[in-house]
Amino acid sequence: MDAPHTHATDRSQLQLAARVVGIVFLLVGVLGFIPGITSNVDQLEFAGHNSDAMLLGIFEVSILHNIVHLLFGVAGLALSRTWSGARNFLIGGGAVYLLLWLYGLLIPHDSSANFVPVNTADNWLHFFLGLGMIGLGVALSRRRATSRV
């Protein structure tokens, strides 16, 4: 008869969600540098509202913007290793994106204060990302996984 196995790599749904979100951020960060997926890559600025590069032709990006996506992705992967890290990444990261949404609403897009840069499409993406990340973090952490396979 086979003995029951425990897997040290078992992940909760919360951890899996954080890992998937991290992978998506990494992918978006990389895609922001690829011509064809990002239009006007030759006009990619380090930061500021003068960057005319557009991810998928919709979202204004800069080198800084892409680096932030890459760093968020790395953070998501690293924090998804633990239950509490995954929860903190999703809820805390979601809060950061809601703050970025507010920033985008309050700062004129052609202002020198618009260093990220953001446009209207970015603003609404940040809003839904923030709500989605917080929603995942809250919903999936309601019942902490206590059983092991």
Side-chain angles (χ1 to χ4, degrees), residues 29-104:
V30 169
L31 293 176
F33 292 109
I34 298 177
I37 295 173
T38 299
S39 58
N40 304 321
V41 173
D42 58 324
Q43 297 173 30
L44 193 64
E45 297 283 329
F46 179 75
H49 66 280
N50 293 323
S51 184
D52 289 326
M54 303 287 279
L55 178 62
L56 302 175
I58 302 170
F59 305 105
E60 190 172 356
V61 293
S62 67
I63 294 169
L64 178 62
H65 206 153
N66 292 335
I67 290 170
V68 168
H69 288 141
L70 292 168
L71 292 174
F72 242 76
V74 169
L77 291 177
L79 291 169
S80 73
R81 296 176 65 184
T82 66
W83 187 91
S84 60
R87 184 176 190 276
N88 290 338
F89 170 71
L90 290 171
I91 294 174
V96 167
Y97 270 92
L98 288 179
L99 288 173
L100 190 55
W101 168 68
L102 287 174
Y103 166 87

